[in-house]
Amino acid sequence: MGASSSTSIHSVDVAHLLCCTCVEQSTVAMEETCGRYDAVLSPGCHFMPWCVGRRVAGYLSLRVQQLDVRCETKSKDNVFVTVVASVQYRALADKAYDAFYRLSNAREQIQSYVFDVIRASVPNMNLDQVFEQKNEVARAVEEELAKAMTMYGYEIVQTLIVDIEPDEVVKRAMNDINAASRLRVAAAERAEAEKIQLVKRAEGEAESKYLAGVGVARQRQAIVEGLRRFVPDEKNVMDMVLGTQYFDTIREIGATSRAATVFIPHGPVAVHDMAAQVRDGVLHAAAAAHVSGAGAR
């Protein structure tokens, strides 16, 4: 470390004694004679006779530089937010005089304009609009900087809004709102799925019961047709069918595990009475239908 420092100092002293100066690439130097501006020195080695009052007043970098500005402001809906703007700028070689002599601190000047534009734009937007329209805010900052810094010999290459940071409490509230909204949508979708399952299950049960009824009807029809071949009396056929159905009902009641206690009369007389009641009901229904049909005519 000490050896390199002494070598650098020695080389500067040698260059000073030889009345010459070196300007690095992407840099210009400001030459003065007796304290008065004389010329802009481009990169390379230049003769600088200090004995007659000529000297290098300073150096100006022509490289693109970046300045990150953090600006705290308030949105239209009274939410404090920190906006981080990234400004890329550079000094113009043909306006090196203005950049070196007319502006003492370019970074502070740029920061002041960024503060002014952001604090004039963001308070006119809600927090959601700040996120949605950050490109418009960046464009406004860039346009204002370009107008202000051109006269000082600087070019604004690009301006970006790289971050928008609301207060931590506001962040948590926004996340809670988003989570609640998504949970509400999920609950609605879940309820719709359960509804579809219930409807489909009910449709399946209805179809199953319909087909079971069709099967039972066909079974009873086959039994009646079979009995008619051997029993000519229709009353006896009806009694036999009702008896068969009676015993089927008793079997179904006993087969189910959730059946309640049912008290019904049992025996041949009970079956005969039941058959008589069904037969009388059928006859009464047929007579009522015949009377209603005659009245309609």
Side-chain angles (χ1 to χ4, degrees):
M1 181 69 181
S4 61
S5 300
S6 60
T7 302
S8 176
I9 295 174
H10 180 70
S11 61
V12 171
D13 292 340
V14 171
H16 183 68
L17 292 175
L18 295 177
C19 298
C20 64
T21 185
C22 294
V23 181
E24 296 181 355
Q25 186 65 34
S26 300
T27 306
V28 294
M30 311 308 294
E31 180 185 356
E32 293 181 351
T33 301
C34 298
R36 182 178 179 181
Y37 167 75
D38 190 16
V40 177
L41 303 181
S42 58
C45 186
H46 299 273
F47 180 64
M48 191 66 57
W50 54 270
C51 55
V52 296
R54 297 177 63 182
R55 72 182 186 92
V56 174
Y59 298 89
L60 182 66
S61 175
L62 302 180
R63 297 177 181 177
V64 175
Q65 303 178 59
Q66 179 167 310
L67 174 63
D68 293 330
V69 181
R70 297 179 62 89
C71 177
E72 184 178 10
T73 183
K74 185 177 72 170
S75 64
K76 188 176 181 180
D77 48 357
N78 296 322
V79 177
F80 282 92
V81 60
T82 300
V83 180
V84 181
S86 179
V87 181
Q88 299 175 357
Y89 66 98
R90 65 181 176 183
L92 299 174
D94 56 344
K95 294 184 178 181
Y97 175 87
D98 295 331
F100 187 83
Y101 287 102
R102 296 189 60 188
L103 198 60
S104 60
N105 194 322
R107 298 177 72 86
E108 290 185 0
Q109 185 79 2
I110 292 174
Q111 182 173 335
S112 299
Y113 279 106
V114 171
F115 281 166
D116 181 68
V117 175
I118 289 179
R119 288 175 177 168
S121 301
V122 173
N124 295 325
M125 306 177 184
N126 293 327
L127 182 60
D128 293 338
Q129 293 175 333
V130 175
F131 282 95
E132 295 171 359
Q133 302 179 16
K134 68 174 186 175
N135 291 335
E136 283 72 10
V137 176
R139 189 178 302 111
V141 173
E142 184 173 346
E143 291 176 356
E144 188 67 23
L145 283 176
K147 291 189 295 183
M149 299 303 294
T150 300
M151 67 177 66
Y152 296 113
Y154 283 90
E155 177 190 9
I156 304 300
V157 178
Q158 193 170 17
T159 302
L160 302 172
I161 302 298
V162 295
D163 197 7
I164 299 173
E165 301 176 357
D167 187 80
E168 190 64 30
V169 177
V170 177
K171 279 187 188 179
R172 289 198 296 268
M174 294 174 66
N175 291 334
D176 291 342
I177 292 172
N178 195 347
S181 176
R182 293 181 180 275
L183 288 174
R184 185 168 59 251
V185 173
E189 294 294 333
R190 193 180 302 111
E192 187 67 23
E194 293 176 357
K195 173 185 174 183
I196 293 174
Q197 290 179 353
L198 291 174
V199 170
K200 291 300 182 182
R201 189 179 298 115
E203 291 178 352
E205 291 178 358
E207 185 69 19
S208 174
K209 291 179 179 178
Y210 170 76
L211 294 177
V214 172
V216 171
R218 290 178 178 176
Q219 179 187 24
R220 297 290 185 263
Q221 183 179 3
I223 293 173
V224 171
E225 291 178 355
L227 291 174
R228 282 178 177 174
R229 296 179 184 176
F230 304 100
V231 182
D233 188 358
E234 292 186 358
K235 176 180 177 298
N236 293 333
V237 172
M238 180 64 69
D239 291 341
M240 295 180 67
V241 171
L242 289 175
T244 303
Q245 189 167 356
Y246 172 80
F247 288 113
D248 289 344
T249 304
I250 295 298
R251 185 179 67 250
E252 291 293 333
I253 293 175
T256 178
S257 60
R258 294 181 298 175
T261 303
V262 179
F263 295 95
I264 57 175
H266 184 66
V269 177
V271 176
H272 176 75
D273 293 340
M274 188 182 302
Q277 293 175 9
V278 173
R279 184 167 55 256
D280 293 342
V282 172
L283 293 175
H284 285 304
H290 177 73
V291 172
S292 63
R297 288 195 295 271

